[in-house]
Amino acid sequence: MVCGGAGELGDCAAGVFDPGAGQPDRIWAGGVDLAQLKILQEVITLSVFVPFAILYMRMPLRLDFLWAALCMCGAVYFVFRQGVSPGP
């Protein structure tokens, strides 16, 4: 990558640290509403925290973790399903 002048320094830095800077994100091209974003955040958080709690903190594996995972799968299904119009 070749940078032109001093005015493009920010653009060059963004290109070094984020190779996809300035390119559209094709995964989220349709947009994400607030409910979808919140469910996605919870799924990512729990997928990191539960293995950490079991492996590092030596918390015993319980059946409650399975039920919580199934509830999260249901939430993902209902929030991300297609063809459902948003509320008023």
Side-chain angles (χ1 to χ4, degrees), residues 4-71:
E8 296 180 1
L9 182 59
D11 295 335
C12 287
V16 169
F17 295 109
D18 184 11
Q23 297 179 359
D25 192 356
R26 289 179 180 85
I27 295 174
W28 302 110
V32 181
D33 66 2
L34 190 60
Q36 291 173 334
L37 189 62
K38 181 61 180 171
I39 293 297
L40 189 62
Q41 181 234 343
E42 292 298 330
V43 168
I44 292 170
T45 300
L46 288 176
S47 66
V48 171
F49 179 72
V50 170
F52 172 77
I54 292 170
L55 298 174
Y56 184 74
M57 301 298 289
R58 307 273 185 212
M59 192 172 173
L61 183 62
R62 298 185 322 210
L63 197 55
D64 292 342
F65 294 149
L66 173 65
W67 302 131
L70 288 174
C71 288

Side-chain angles (χ1 to χ4, degrees), residues 36 76-84:
Q36 291 173 334
V76 168
Y77 170 74
F78 286 113
V79 170
F80 283 96
R81 67 183 166 165
Q82 299 296 321
V84 177

